[in-house]
Amino acid sequence: MAEAYDPSVIEPKWQTYWEENKTFRAERRPGRPKKYVLDMFPYPSGAGLHVGHPEGYTATDIVCRFERMRGTDVLHPMGWDAFGLPAEQHAIKTGTHPRSTTLKNIDNFRRQLKMLGFSYDWEREVDTTDPRYVRWTQWIFLQLFKKGLAFQQSNMPVNWCPALGTVLANDEVTADGRSEVGGFPVEKLKIRQWSLKITAYADRLLEGLENLDWPETKAKQAHWIGRSEGANVDFEVEGHPGARITVFTTRVDTLPGATYVVLAPEHALALQIATPEHQAEVKRYADEANAKSDVVRSDATRAKTGVPTGAFAVNPINGDKIPVWVADYVIGSYGTGAVMAVPAHDERDHAFAVKYALPIVRVVAKADGTEVDVAKAAYCDDGVANADAVSRSKAPIEQGMPSEKVRRTVTDWLASQGRGSSKITFKLRDWVFSRQRYWGEPIPIYFPVTTDGDPRKPGTKYEIHYDQPIPLEESELPLLLPDLEDFKPGTDPAGPLARALDWRFFEREGKWFARETNTMPQWAGSCWYYLRFVDPTNDEAGWSPEAYDAWMPVDLYVGGSEHAVLHLLYARFWHKVLFDLGVVKHEEPFQKLVHQGLILGEVEHIVFHEATAVPGSRAKREGDRWVDAETGADLTDRRMRSTDLDNRGGAFYLREADVPVLTTPDGEHFAFYAASETLVSAERAKERDDGSFEDAKTKKTLVIRKVTEQDITKRGAHFTLNDSPETQVLSQAFKMSKSRGNVVNPDVLIKSHGADSLRLYEMFMGPLEAVKPWQTSGIEGVRRFLERVWNVSTTNVTGDPADYDVETQKLVHKTIKKVTEDVQALRFNTAISAMMILVKHLGGLPKVPAGAARALSLLVSPFAPHIGEELWQQLGGKTSLAYEPWPAFDPALVKDDVIEIGVQVNGKARASIQIPADADEAAAKAIALEDPKIKDFTAGKTIKKVIFVKGRILNLIVG
RNA sequence: GCCGAAGUGGCGGAACGGUAGACGCAGCGGAUUCAAAAUCCGCCGGGGUAGCCCCCCGUGAGGGUUCGAGUCCCUCCUUCGGUACCA
């Protein structure tokens, strides 16, 4: 008896072998096909790998190992997207330099990935924070700058939190304009920002999607780009000969029905044209709108508000004088920041017109000419022009003219009058590219400084001329970050780099200059890493044309769908810019894209109890739980945001119960609840944003209790409690999160079951793209499978061809066919089940043919490479099987001579029969009619019709 | 609201328009064992009948197309993801 399967021995053995032999070094050999298979490289967080990483990485690894065995040259690299906020936050807390944190985390990630046996070419590892990498990120920025695609905007509104000394993203700001962390006031500050002109590529980014083999992500990007065709129309303003309001509309056919014009609060003309008696009101309204957070402003369910300017615009199509309003439902940054309002045919305009009693004029009828009642709701569909449209228009509209034609007619007429033109508008905005942070690529730009001395010395007066940006010479790259001691954001929105005075200011030929202190966003490094992988150590260029030709484009790109829009759109944008520069040769970088599905935690069964809030002062820590100091009862804690609490002179109270919470020294608030005996059925429980649950009716917090499968039974569509069959239980898999405590650690699983089992299980869970709940017992199932693979391949193996029976040969070849096809289609779960069937069969044989065992080790090796290699060696392989030819199947052996097909009578399955594979209809029918069951169903009836699909079905229609 | 994906046993999931539930997990029964673990074998949608034959029902709901629908079409419901005063 051979030794037992022990992954802890064979896995390190083969990992060392691959490393020492550089088994997976990517090389191009003449005359071979190539495949560039790319994983989205990770941000090396301190938490290490989670089970989501190996999912996509195993999928690509299987493809790569399979392709190598089929003679393909494979590029399969890995690297680190290593700039980013967590390392910087860690630095602020601990004073550890982000570089050392980052390097430590990278080491940990690399160790974990190597333990999983991925066939990366580790000589191509890239790190976006490496100066040799940063150099070329900055080089690309300079190209963008020189093409005018990187530019500064001086008054980009940002969320500035003075208390935290930092700029916040929109989702870090609460609805009432405070910081999510700490609840400090947030101001809208207009600061100078770098932007990239991605909008210049909007059309090409949209068109480029067409021929890509991408999933629904294409639709998401198209939606994000948001192209709309319409027209700009100019309205003159009465009493302001120079002023002209340009509106963008997609429904220029409704122009005769425009009864007022609305400007965004930030529109430049708003204050200018407001009449004296309306000035103050317009100003107040604009200020209020500006103070509102974007979250509040974009809440479409909010009632519309607005104020009149007192001014009147002239509708160019009929000369009508219509009022000009200011309202925040019009967005300043989309279109022209002004709309013509046609309440009869636009929902928002309708709601606004009803509220402020503005006239509603109907100019579109249904296609058949019938008029729609627009008193209650707008009619927004296309239709035909009605009589009013004709009478109210100087343009040659005819009654009954379809909307599409009216649009062309009106646009042409406006153009001829010089009052409008057709226009295409995009939702896509330019990409704000600067961050007021330390741990990012410095922007390789500096500015002239006028000063009365050395601007590095305190008290020196100086002025930085941001309007005169100067790019660094390419030879001066990379521009590296200065070493800082203190990474805290300060009072200066220019960011922490502004404090590195020796770095920031420099003197050249008697003149002073100041470097840009903003850094690039984390997206920058990931915008081109796939290009660096083809030539990772090149110091003459980001990549050479030869290396590019050898490997690009990326043939398969696998990563999470959370990057469906931003990363994938930004990278495509840079690629197109590089294409225009002639340094890349394809318009699109990623040919085929697949998103692996999220892996959720194990399913939890949850029972809800009514709860009573307990004052924070009574909560006592006991081990890792909280108890009520008075009653000794277990308490459930809930972390609260200060904005959800009542602040009474510095003491925070729960709103729902008027009970004080516990506030920790670092400003976190915890509410506590004691469970009551009263159960609440799951259909009444509603999950809150913070993960806690409330009663949908009473809005009161519910306490949860986890139960096991033994405690519950499925009744109808739901699980209910055995002890209380009316109480529904919530059975749900939640997203893995530290706070929920349902995170599965790959290190632990590798230790207990081995990397091969983990890889195999993740592929066996279900389709790659699907969201799937984790099930630890499932990994034990695939572990058993690997044990069986091991046992059939190491025990009783016979080299005698006489023992290789035909049935086994057939099954081996069918399995080869199935696995080959499934791997090519990325259907790994069904490929594994096919191998399970083969192993089951081999296990039942008195002796296992060596040919079958060898085929099995080859087939299993892309999925579970360590056991594959080990068995291959034990079966006589002299070297790694990584380049062993993938087994071919014999078509003759895949076909069966006798097959089983179903027989239906009147479309209902009644029996199955064995027939020769090449049997024709008559033969099949004859055999079927001999079958006793079929005889029963056809007895005394005539066969009216026979449907026969060769190899599939026989259907007898009788009557 | 809009766009997209998906609803199949106790659970994860299979199924070119052709015998629904492959494969695995959990469960049940048996073999092995002094015993247990491990392993191996068998059963495993619901109901009827009853042991092993067989019949009926069954892929979110309701219609439709078809000899035949989990699969195609229409309407609706639910879940998940994205997005949202975008004129």
Side-chain angles (χ1 to χ4, degrees), chain A residues 784-803:
Chain A
R784 282 198 275 273
F785 164 69
L786 289 180
E787 300 270 6
R788 283 197 281 267
V789 170
W790 180 270
N791 292 337
V792 299
S793 307
T794 55
T795 322
N796 257 336
V797 176
T798 169
D800 186 350
D803 288 323

Side-chain angles (χ1 to χ4, degrees), chain A residues 41 80-84 99 102 126-143 433 438-444 472-474 476-482 497 503 518-522 524-526 528-529 532 536 538-539 541-543 574:
Chain A
F41 67 164
W80 320 108
D81 189 14
F83 277 123
R99 168 156 296 111
T102 301
V126 305
D127 165 4
T128 55
T129 66
D130 183 336
R132 292 175 68 193
Y133 186 94
V134 168
R135 175 178 177 188
W136 300 109
T137 308
Q138 291 173 332
W139 179 86
I140 295 171
F141 181 88
L142 289 182
Q143 310 312 310
F433 195 69
Y438 171 76
W439 193 229
E441 298 89 344
I443 292 175
L472 286 183
E473 291 298 319
E474 288 179 13
E476 294 175 276
L477 301 180
L479 171 62
L480 298 181
L481 287 166
L497 285 181
W503 178 87
N518 285 318
T519 52
M520 299 190 201
Q522 199 185 349
S526 58
W528 72 284
Y529 74 113
R532 188 61 176 174
N538 194 334
D539 286 327
W543 60 91
W574 278 34

